[in-house]
Amino acid sequence: MGIRHAVDRLMHVSGPAGKLPGLGARFGTYELLTAFNKDGREDNHVNYSEAMLAGITAGAVEAFVCTPFELLKLRSQVGSAIPMKATNPANVIQESFPLLSKLLPGHVPDMRVWNSSVSLLSNLSPKHPDMMGALKQHPWMLTGSGKPPLPSDVQVPSRVIALEGWGALWRGLRPGVARDCVFSGMFFSCWQFIHTAMLTWQSVNMNPEPRNLEEAGPVPPLASSLAAGFSGVVAAAASHTFDTAKSRSQCTVIPKYIAMERRFLKWRAPGMWIERMTGTSPADRNVLFRGIGLRMARSGIASFVLVGSYYLAVDQLL
């Protein structure tokens, strides 16, 4: 596809609908917590530890709000990169027979596997009045493949909920919480550190010497924007492994029957305790740092533009 087509498709599947609530939750929670910390103080100074704790809390709120939007956005982006499939005989069969519409996307019935399953179950004492009819309501009994569909086939909210359940909308929440907590904590603490350093530098040559940093005057908007951009680069580098783990987790389709079997068998996720806590798969260890340069550049530019546009809007409107 051409560059224009690629840009149009990217803007279509990754619009601001899911990002704006996340940004509002992040900065709104941070401002609320820092205002609570500054209440009763003579100046409006915030310590580095307070900025980090407020950022960690804000990151957790942002992750909970944005996870469903990011799952749908990521699967739409994967689907937009795959060419549209032409109508095949399987689609014609599914349109002709309503029962086959319950099959997993991209699969056709395998009667050999179905007959084998029926012969194995026929030796059991039947306690259900219509066991064969009940088994036909479960599409994976007819496919015989055992493979879940591709994420590009399960990108519509109704299909995600029907195949994977409501809980699938928050798949990748644990790596998402780890990513956003690390990112927000590092971003706000680093930004507060640079902001304090610039105010201290301004107060050195002032006569008389200011009693506190608030009297040193505001930081220039360009300097504050550059500090935010640098903080975004540092935060993106620190949280990139969790971002990769979240993307890999959200691109994995786990049907409801597989999740039910895992609960019955008390399946335990592999890996070390830190990997289980953060939802990172041990199979992804070699790809966790892939694309870190692009994410650092994106986060730095976005933070610089966000803070710069905020100061510009305040200067023009207030």
Side-chain angles (χ1 to χ4, degrees):
M1 65 179 68
I3 296 179
R4 181 178 179 181
H5 190 196
V7 172
D8 292 341
R9 182 171 293 184
L10 179 64
M11 293 297 294
H12 174 70
V13 301
S14 59
K19 196 63 179 176
L20 292 180
L23 289 175
R26 181 201 303 177
F27 285 95
T29 305
Y30 176 79
E31 290 294 334
L32 180 64
L33 295 177
T34 52
F36 177 78
N37 292 328
K38 293 184 293 185
D39 188 24
R41 294 180 180 176
E42 183 180 356
D43 56 357
N44 291 327
H45 180 68
V46 179
N47 298 327
Y48 311 134
S49 59
E50 294 174 344
M52 177 171 286
L53 291 177
I56 291 174
T57 306
V61 175
E62 179 188 7
F64 184 80
V65 172
C66 288
T67 296
F69 298 100
E70 290 189 355
L71 181 137
L72 300 176
K73 182 198 73 172
L74 184 63
R75 293 190 176 181
S76 297
Q77 289 176 334
V78 173
S80 65
I82 299 178
M84 297 298 294
K85 299 178 181 179
T87 303
N88 50 26
N91 295 333
V92 177
I93 294 176
Q94 292 183 4
E95 293 177 359
S96 303
F97 301 95
L99 177 63
L100 302 185
S101 62
K102 294 185 178 181
L103 291 174
L104 299 181
H107 295 281
V108 295
D110 190 338
M111 298 308 299
R112 182 179 58 84
V113 175
W114 167 253
N115 293 331
S116 177
S117 301
V118 170
S119 62
L120 289 175
L121 295 174
S122 61
N123 297 327
L124 301 176
S125 57
K127 294 184 178 180
H128 196 280
D130 187 13
M131 181 179 294
M132 296 300 104
L135 291 177
K136 290 181 180 180
Q137 302 301 318
H138 302 278
W140 56 89
M141 292 294 297
L142 293 172
T143 58
S145 63
K147 295 181 179 180
L150 297 175
S152 57
D153 295 328
V154 193
Q155 54 179 294
V156 183
S158 59
R159 180 168 289 184
V160 172
I161 295 172
L163 179 61
E164 303 177 78
W166 285 94
L169 295 177
W170 279 272
R171 177 164 299 142
L173 180 61
R174 284 187 296 169
V177 169
R179 179 199 67 180
D180 292 337
C181 287
V182 172
F183 181 90
S184 297
M186 292 294 296
F187 175 80
F188 287 112
S189 61
C190 185
W191 193 16
Q192 183 66 29
F193 175 79
I194 299 175
H195 181 77
T196 304
M198 289 188 293
L199 288 178
T200 305
W201 180 263
Q202 287 183 2
S203 63
V204 170
N205 298 324
M206 294 182 65
N207 191 13
E209 185 176 352
R211 294 178 302 173
N212 50 53
L213 293 178
E214 285 295 319
E215 296 181 358
V219 176
L222 179 59
S224 184
S225 301
L226 291 174
F230 177 77
S231 302
V233 171
V234 174
S239 61
H240 181 73
T241 55
F242 302 113
D243 180 73
T244 305
K246 180 174 184 178
S247 299
R248 301 276 290 185
S249 176
Q250 290 181 332
C251 280
T252 303
V253 179
I254 303 179
K256 288 185 287 187
Y257 68 93
I258 295 182
M260 185 181 301
E261 288 176 355
R262 289 182 176 181
R263 288 194 298 268
F264 286 158
L265 298 176
K266 297 181 180 180
W267 179 79
R268 184 180 181 184
M272 300 181 293
W273 68 271
I274 186 65
E275 293 175 330
R276 293 194 298 269
M277 288 292 293
T278 58
T280 305
S281 174
D284 300 336
R285 293 173 182 173
N286 297 328
V287 299
L288 291 178
F289 290 95
R290 185 172 298 175
I292 186 173
L294 294 174
R295 186 165 180 266
M296 291 171 62
R298 184 200 70 176
S299 179
I301 295 174
S303 300
F304 173 80
V305 173
L306 179 65
V307 175
S309 60
Y310 170 78
Y311 280 115
L312 180 61
V314 170
D315 183 64
Q316 295 295 328
L317 298 178
L318 300 180

